[in-house]
Amino acid sequence: MSTVKTLTGEEHFKAVISHAKEYGFIFQSSEIYDGLSAVYDYGQCGAPLKNNIREYWWRAMVQMNENIAGIDAAIFMHPTVWKASGHVDAFNDPLIDNKDSKKRYRADVLIEDHIAKIEAKIEKEVTKAKQRFGESFDEAMFRSTNPRVVENQKKIDEINQRLKDCLERNDLEGVRQLILDLEIVCPVSGTRNWTEVRQFNLMFATQMGSVSEEASTIYLRPETAQGIFVNFLNVYKTGRMKIPFGIAQTGKAFRNEIVARQFIFRMREFEQMEMQYFVRPGTEMQWYEHWKQARMQWHLTLGISSTKYRFHDHIKLAHYANAACDIEFEFPFGFKELEGIHSRTDFDLKSHEQHSGKKLQYFDPELNESYVPYVVETSIGLDRMFLAVLSATYKEETLEDGSDRTVLSIPPALAPVKCAVLPLVNKDNLPEKAREIMDQIKFGFDCMFDAKDSIGKRYRRQDAIGTPYCITIDHQTLQDNTVTIRERDTMQQERIHTSEVSRIVEERVSMKALLSKVS
Ligand code: ATP
């Protein structure tokens, strides 16, 4: 039996970041020039992991739902798109600077972090009580009656309410006052010497056209959703879609984030996976509930502990939304948004109708009338999902014999390499035999050949990149055509015939098996 080392959130996060670099998952962009802030490159292990997560999402959406069509819209769009979507006028974050450290923060995030600290106090009380009362512990009762918990919860509710009121009224002075009243200090300087709160637009602008008089300002898209809205009519007509139907896409989005920290959690260039579901007005709440459950199911199917996920209802709804929530994930730095699920009414299509002068309506044969459909969207950041998988599966273990290993227990269907092919020693015809096996199996899944160093070291290297299976070719293989297959998490080995390798590995790592559990 192995034991998993306990790490604090901070230690865990630091270890994940350095592991990601050391094993070729993620590199800082332009590192030889000291990097570009909040921009990252995916390395030889990161790129396949990211592709596999994207594939899992795409196939769960597009392949498994007959009524969801997948598209790939351009990053550049007509500038009026961003007028219509509201991004030119209102895609702002409230920012605040600390005069002593000269550091810039998102004012709302400072307040949310403060709330998270109070939440942590509550959780500590609950954990302590759970241990004290054991089996007979009634958590709901404890949360509603324990004076310290009740008082802290009241504080949280009051702060949330004040923040919501201020943001709805665009009362930036009120937001600043809240920061002062809560005695929030700058994490760097430790002081409360804050500037005013100002709004800052997050879109990157650039010029299109070669002659400067003709050039027009266009934007790098800050979300992929608008590429779907402007193609609503195209897909509806050419795909002969019937409501309810969805359009899905994955692709890059760009935001000039004020506070770009926390590794790939908040980047300036990132990738989104979004699906807009067009429904008959009046049925949107039913579909909102449907997609909340369906998306949670997609996450849980991966086998990552369900305690790491929770729903969080938005305290401040955008003016056009009639329901919105996040799926939050427990990253090493706490529960944060991983995915958003929003009921957006007919806001986007109506606005594009007004700005483009084109009718964006659906003719409903059952009702015999045309209308602008309502939209329920699901929107998840691919990079955030990558970080969720990496941080939840990273483990440092002490083995029975006292040695250590670092392992990524990535769900097999997502693992960058599915199977390593290892000749026990680099001589005696074993490498040749191993190559022969590799050449037979490499068509079905990603394999890696490794003959260097001791077998123990090679197993550790594969554990560290999350390879679920290692095939070892030894002297017995030359006699009877059998190999050992070692499973990453249990480290158990069994002997199988070489002709079985392909089938056994394929069965256990297959995306197909994973997808069949989602539905
Ligand atoms: P946040 O509140 O964290 O800024 P948001 O509410 O602005 O996120 P949305 O506009 O709803 O995010 O975007 C949908 C998803 O895109 C988010 O749930 C997140 O996973 C991802 N995402 C948004 N901004 C970033 C970013 N800067 N870097 C990486 N992923 C992002």
Side-chain angles (χ1 to χ4, degrees):
M1 277 296 289
S2 55
T3 48
V4 180
K5 287 191 201 161
T6 320
L7 302 174
T8 64
E10 209 179 319
E11 288 166 347
H12 183 185
F13 192 35
K14 274 195 184 146
V16 167
I17 295 173
S18 61
H19 190 85
K21 178 170 179 201
E22 191 181 343
Y23 287 93
F25 284 87
I26 295 164
F27 306 125
Q28 174 86 60
S29 158
S30 326
E31 198 185 298
I32 57 168
Y33 293 101
D34 291 337
L36 185 64
S37 162
V39 186
Y40 292 90
D41 298 337
Y42 286 81
Q44 68 279 11
C45 283
L49 172 56
K50 191 177 174 199
N51 287 342
N52 293 341
I53 298 174
R54 191 192 298 105
E55 186 189 341
Y56 175 47
W57 183 89
W58 180 270
R59 289 177 63 174
M61 279 294 177
V62 179
Q63 185 179 331
M64 315 242 321
N65 291 287
E66 278 174 40
N67 64 345
I68 296 183
I71 66 163
D72 183 14
I75 288 172
F76 290 149
M77 301 182 78
H78 193 284
T80 312
V81 166
W82 306 110
K83 254 329 242 183
S85 68
H87 284 79
V88 170
D89 298 320
F91 192 50
N92 301 319
D93 273 347
L95 66 89
I96 189 166
D97 293 45
N98 182 271
K99 290 182 195 161
D100 299 318
S101 67
K102 309 268 183 285
K103 290 276 175 212
R104 182 160 287 177
Y105 299 92
R106 255 175 71 178
D108 53 336
V109 172
L110 279 180
I111 295 166
E112 280 163 13
D113 286 348
H114 182 82
I115 292 174
K117 282 187 193 147
I118 308 177
E119 269 172 357
K121 281 187 195 163
I122 297 182
E123 292 315 311
K124 215 170 150 188
E125 292 283 348
V126 173
T127 312
K128 254 182 12 200
K130 229 184 230 166
Q131 283 163 356
R132 193 156 12 106
F133 296 111
E135 290 277 289
S136 61
F137 182 57
D138 180 345
E139 185 171 328
M141 170 77 111
F142 181 80
R143 282 180 188 271
S144 61
T145 54
N146 177 279
R148 277 194 297 273
V149 171
V150 171
E151 193 194 322
N152 277 326
Q153 190 55 51
K154 194 165 149 238
K155 268 190 208 162
I156 292 176
D157 294 344
E158 279 168 8
I159 299 170
N160 270 331
Q161 190 58 45
R162 260 183 84 181
L163 179 61
K164 177 174 178 242
D165 290 347
C166 289
L167 291 176
E168 270 173 8
R169 282 185 275 116
N170 202 20
D171 174 8
L172 299 180
E173 185 44 41
V175 176
R176 179 171 187 269
Q177 195 54 50
L178 182 55
I179 289 176
L180 294 178
D181 292 349
L182 295 173
E183 301 185 347
I184 294 176
V185 299
C186 164
V188 177
S189 67
T191 70
R192 282 180 245 152
N193 198 3
W194 297 110
T195 61
E196 303 298 296
V197 177
R198 281 166 296 145
Q199 292 286 21
F200 174 79
N201 193 290
L202 302 182
M203 280 200 294
F204 283 102
T206 187
Q207 298 293 313
M208 186 177 245
S210 52
V211 187
S212 61
E213 303 87 71
E214 284 174 14
S216 59
T217 299
I218 57 164
Y219 301 98
L220 296 185
R221 65 180 177 198
E223 62 174 28
T224 54
Q226 298 305 321
I228 289 179
F229 292 126
V230 300
N231 277 301
F232 159 74
L233 212 53
N234 287 335
V235 176
Y236 154 44
K237 296 276 184 198
T238 60
R240 297 164 52 236
M241 310 300 278
K242 287 202 179 55
I243 258 174
F245 72 88
I247 306 179
Q249 78 165 331
T250 70
K252 288 270 173 132
F254 304 82
R255 295 182 188 178
N256 197 1
E257 297 280 2
I258 302 161
V259 189
R261 287 197 212 107
Q262 291 168 324
F263 196 38
I264 56 168
F265 179 81
R266 193 174 297 287
M267 301 155 91
R268 295 204 164 103
E269 173 180 342
F270 58 101
E271 196 165 331
Q272 289 186 315
M273 308 192 284
E274 296 199 294
M275 193 278 296
Q276 268 68 34
Y277 205 67
F278 299 91
V279 306
R280 189 183 281 172
T283 63
E284 70 276 11
M285 288 321 278
Q286 163 202 335
W287 288 112
Y288 173 71
E289 287 305 325
H290 167 86
W291 282 108
K292 264 177 82 170
Q293 300 316 322
R295 291 304 303 145
M296 188 56 104
Q297 180 61 30
W298 181 87
H299 286 284
L300 297 181
T301 302
L302 285 175
I304 294 172
S305 164
S306 62
T307 58
K308 290 209 162 283
Y309 294 89
R310 72 181 186 195
F311 285 113
H312 172 78
D313 288 323
H314 282 200
I315 53 159
K316 179 193 168 228
L317 286 182
H319 60 279
Y320 49 81
N322 58 6
C325 73
D326 296 334
I327 293 180
E328 291 190 335
F329 185 80
E330 191 178 18
F331 292 97
F333 39 86
F335 272 100
K336 297 275 176 205
E337 171 177 346
L338 170 60
E339 169 157 11
I341 298 155
H342 313 125
S343 172
R344 301 178 64 107
T345 68
D346 56 3
F347 170 81
D348 304 271
L349 288 180
K350 269 224 169 111
S351 186
H352 284 304
E353 274 199 329
Q354 280 158 9
H355 283 80
S356 67
K358 306 278 184 330
K359 251 187 162 187
L360 299 179
Q361 301 197 353
Y362 173 81
F363 177 73
D364 193 325
E366 282 173 33
L367 302 179
N368 202 24
E369 66 177 60
S370 292
Y371 52 76
V372 178
Y374 271 35
V375 170
V376 174
E377 79 172 359
T378 74
S379 171
I380 175 168
L382 175 50
D383 313 86
R384 273 193 201 175
M385 187 60 202
F386 186 108
L387 182 59
V389 171
L390 206 63
S391 58
T393 61
Y394 175 92
K395 273 182 288 181
E396 293 177 15
E397 291 182 345
T398 305
L399 306 181
E400 251 173 19
D401 64 3
S403 63
D404 291 330
R405 75 161 181 166
T406 301
V407 58
L408 293 179
S409 41
I410 301 176
L414 302 186
V417 177
K418 308 297 188 211
C419 179
V421 179
L422 315 172
L424 183 65
V425 288
N426 204 4
K427 56 181 184 187
D428 302 342
N429 246 351
L430 296 187
E432 290 74 12
K433 182 69 188 168
R435 281 269 171 225
E436 204 181 284
I437 296 174
M438 172 104 173
D439 285 342
Q440 284 164 15
I441 65 173
K442 69 184 179 192
F443 302 99
F445 38 80
D446 284 293
C447 303
M448 186 186 273
F449 183 89
D450 191 1
K452 206 164 165 277
D453 296 325
S454 73
I455 192 72
K457 267 197 187 152
R458 280 181 277 159
Y459 284 151
R460 292 293 164 275
R461 275 206 290 271
Q462 296 302 328
D463 291 341
I465 62 169
T467 306
Y469 295 99
C470 289
I471 301 292
T472 304
I473 290 83
D474 54 20
H475 294 93
Q476 192 181 328
T477 312
L478 302 178
Q479 319 273 311
D480 64 5
N481 252 328
T482 62
V483 292
T484 58
I485 179 168
R486 170 188 180 270
E487 201 273 332
R488 175 194 66 201
D489 299 332
T490 58
M491 293 180 285
Q492 302 270 318
Q493 305 195 13
E494 53 180 312
R495 233 181 149 91
I496 57 172
H497 198 267
T498 48
S499 62
E500 291 279 88
V501 173
S502 214
R503 182 187 61 79
I504 291 178
V505 176
E506 199 142 8
E507 254 170 35
R508 297 184 194 174
V509 304
S510 100
M511 184 71 79
K512 199 168 143 191
L514 188 65
L515 287 168
S516 67
K517 284 190 253 160
V518 180
S519 57

